[in-house]
Amino acid sequence: MGSRWSSEEERQPLLGPGLGPGLGASWRSREAAAALPAAVPGPGRVYGRRWLVLLLFSLLAFVQGLVWNTWGPIQNSARQAYGFSSWDIALLVLWGPIGFLPCFAFMWLLDKRGLRITVLLTSFLMVLGTGLRCIPISDLMLKRRLIHGGQMLNGLAGPTVMNAAPFLSTTWFSADERATATAIASMLSYLGGACAFLVGPLVVPAPNGTSPFLTAESSRAHIKDRIEAVLYAEFGVVCLIFSATLAYFPPRPPLPPSVAAASQRLSYRRSVCRLLSNFRFLMIALAYAIPLGVFAGWSGVLDLILTPAHVSQVDAGWIGFWSIVGGCVVGIAMARFADFIRGMLKLILLLLFSGATLSSTWFTLTCLNSITHLPLTTVTLYASCILLGVFLNSSVPIFFELFVETVYPVPEGITCGVVTFLSNIFMGVLLFFLTFYHTELSWFNWCLPGSCLLSLLLILCFRESYDRLYLDVVVSV
């Protein structure tokens, strides 16, 4: 089954369309009623292989984030080894958001051809990208172009690893495991980016960290060899994941795990039109895209923001690392809680963004200690920044689940694709702006509490609905 491609027949619902007995009048939307299957053979069936599918997808997402953030933590070493300029370093990071420009093509592929074909194409792009970076060429100009090409191809893998998590969880997991599976699959990409802060500096020495007995040319060659060791290792891991995915990554289980997994969905065109005309969806999409886009840009220049507070670049990197790791752990824990206590996604987001607003305000006022007289210490900076990252990063899988519930029966991949496209475009524009206007960043601190407060108000005014959950709970009983 693992080597069989997803066909049009596979995309058809396993159960016929129609309304269940006595349930048509209870539906909240006409589209949701049309998705209700007529005959439901029990509550659905789950297979142990779902964890293997989740593991392969999560590893792919982890490595994609790791490859994307290869150069940021070792930028000084990369400058000396390959002659990168400041613009080159910025562009290597920007290839991530740029890779979301063809996001709608990957959404179409996921909707038409299924999960297996999309994941295989994504992993193959990563093989090509990491392979380009490993081609041994002495010409530094051509080498830099190959590295940029590799980062661009890896960026093209971003739409799948960021968007397909809810689609995978619906396809393979039961209703009481979906949020947890979504959290694991979506958080591993963030964790990969965080681990790059450990892998790069541990393997690649800083320009002033090489042996004092080495000449300048020998030092450059030594740094270059260590960077290439990292590139070859990442290439090998990506090839291994691609081989495992090619060998076994079924498009869907033999029987659906829930009623929602067996129901019909809207077409691609109708789905996009439905999303862009749904005011509630646009409201919650902005609540997601604005604060997370601002936070991504703020994290990229965190070392510059903390320089006036006499925080070193190493400490700033550790703050970013622990905020992402903490966000992944809390995000998975919150998702597991949401699986146990259903219908509480809005409340969870309100709690998370209340904490994010308070943490960002605490950080901003601490940086203005000459006016506020708040203690400016390493502990307070660490605590406020890490708490902010934990609250914001852990909200991602909760948002994804709420998006899908809000616009069901729009396919999960299309829903999350539109949202992440908006978020990455916003982040890309912000990073591009900061690349040229980074001399004065004190104003940027105020953008954080402002965006978190705006998101909190949007979530507060948002009217939640759980059409997909209603389908699973009521029809399965």
Side-chain angles (χ1 to χ4, degrees):
M1 183 175 187
S3 60
R4 190 180 304 166
W5 282 21
S6 174
S7 63
E8 185 67 24
E9 182 181 357
E10 288 178 316
R11 293 184 58 256
Q12 297 301 319
L14 300 179
L15 304 173
L19 287 178
L23 290 174
S26 301
W27 274 104
R28 304 180 185 183
S29 67
R30 184 175 301 173
E31 290 81 2
L36 187 60
V40 183
R45 178 179 177 183
V46 292
Y47 297 83
R49 71 191 77 169
R50 70 191 187 279
W51 297 109
L52 177 59
V53 173
L54 178 62
L55 175 64
L56 288 175
F57 183 87
S58 301
L59 288 176
L60 186 70
F62 177 87
V63 177
Q64 197 274 340
L66 181 68
V67 172
W68 168 71
N69 198 30
T70 297
W71 302 99
I74 58 171
Q75 56 178 296
N76 293 329
S77 301
R79 292 173 193 267
Q80 180 168 334
Y82 297 106
F84 281 127
S85 64
S86 299
W87 168 246
D88 283 320
I89 297 296
L91 185 58
L92 289 172
V93 178
L94 282 172
W95 284 124
I98 292 174
F100 274 79
L101 291 178
C103 178
F104 290 92
F106 285 92
M107 290 159 44
W108 177 87
L109 184 66
L110 183 63
D111 182 57
K112 295 296 183 181
R113 300 296 295 172
L115 189 62
R116 174 175 170 82
I117 297 298
T118 308
V119 171
L120 282 176
L121 176 60
T122 298
S123 55
F124 182 67
L125 289 174
M126 292 175 60
V127 169
L128 292 180
T130 53
L132 276 180
R133 306 186 308 170
C134 295
I135 297 178
I137 294 179
S138 57
D139 187 348
L140 290 182
M141 176 64 72
L142 184 56
K143 182 68 175 180
R144 288 195 295 268
R145 291 179 178 177
L146 289 175
I147 291 174
H148 278 290
Q151 293 298 122
M152 180 190 68
L153 290 173
N154 183 75
L156 291 175
T160 299
V161 301
M162 294 296 294
N163 300 339
F167 182 86
L168 183 148
S169 64
T170 299
T171 303
W172 283 93
F173 289 83
S174 60
D176 58 352
E177 295 177 335
R178 276 198 301 244
T180 303
T182 298
I184 294 173
S186 60
M187 289 283 95
L188 264 291
S189 178
Y190 292 87
L191 187 61
C195 287
F197 287 103
L198 294 180
V199 175
L202 286 177
V203 178
V204 180
N208 57 356
T210 55
S211 173
F213 300 102
L214 296 177
T215 62
E217 183 63 26
S218 299
S219 175
R220 189 187 70 82
H222 176 67
I223 292 174
K224 185 177 179 182
D225 289 341
R226 303 305 294 173
I227 293 178
E228 290 180 350
V230 174
L231 300 184
Y232 280 118
E234 292 176 346
F235 175 61
V237 173
V238 170
C239 289
L240 184 62
I241 296 175
F242 173 71
S243 300
T245 304
L246 187 63
Y248 186 82
F249 196 93
R252 66 177 186 174
L255 293 176
S258 63
V259 178
S263 62
Q264 288 181 322
R265 304 303 175 89
L266 300 181
S267 65
Y268 179 82
R269 181 178 298 179
R270 286 190 63 193
S271 297
V272 175
C273 294
R274 164 71 59 176
L275 293 177
L276 297 181
S277 61
N278 190 321
F279 178 76
R280 290 196 306 127
F281 170 75
L282 295 177
M283 177 189 298
I284 200 68
L286 289 177
Y288 168 87
I290 294 177
L292 289 172
V294 171
F295 178 71
W298 178 83
S299 300
V301 294
L302 183 60
D303 56 334
L304 298 178
I305 291 175
L306 295 177
T307 297
H310 306 290
V311 176
S312 66
Q313 182 175 346
V314 175
D315 285 333
W318 278 111
I319 290 175
F321 172 79
W322 286 116
S323 65
I324 295 175
V325 172
C328 293
V329 174
V330 175
I332 295 175
M334 285 291 181
R336 194 62 192 141
F337 174 77
D339 278 330
F340 280 113
I341 310 297
R342 301 178 185 179
M344 304 289 287
L345 298 178
K346 177 180 176 179
L347 177 60
I348 294 174
L349 287 177
L350 286 174
L351 294 175
L352 291 176
F353 272 87
S354 296
T357 303
L358 293 176
S359 300
S360 57
T361 303
W362 180 22
F363 173 81
T364 302
L365 295 179
T366 300
C367 291
L368 298 174
N369 66 320
S370 60
I371 301 175
T372 60
H373 302 291
L374 292 175
L376 179 61
T377 63
T378 304
V379 175
T380 57
L381 291 176
Y382 260 82
S384 58
C385 290
I386 292 175
L387 283 175
L388 175 61
V390 166
F391 287 128
L392 288 181
N393 289 324
S394 62
S395 70
V396 173
I398 307 300
F399 265 121
F400 280 0
E401 287 295 301
L402 187 59
F403 293 146
V404 175
E405 295 286 353
T406 300
V407 297
Y408 183 85
V410 174
E412 292 84 356
I414 298 176
T415 302
C416 296
V418 171
V419 173
T420 54
F421 176 80
L422 295 175
S423 177
N424 277 272
I425 292 299
F426 188 86
M427 180 183 68
V429 172
L430 195 59
L431 287 174
F432 183 82
F433 177 81
L434 291 173
T435 301
F436 295 97
Y437 303 97
H438 59 269
T439 55
E440 179 57 44
L441 294 175
S442 59
W443 61 271
F444 200 23
N445 288 336
W446 289 105
C447 293
L448 272 174
S451 62
C452 291
L453 181 60
L454 175 61
S455 179
L456 183 62
L457 295 176
L458 289 174
I459 297 172
L460 189 62
C461 298
F462 174 74
R463 181 174 57 85
E464 60 187 334
S465 62
Y466 297 91
D467 284 344
R468 185 183 62 165
L469 180 61
Y470 180 82
L471 176 67
D472 283 323
V473 172
V474 174
V475 178
S476 297
V477 174

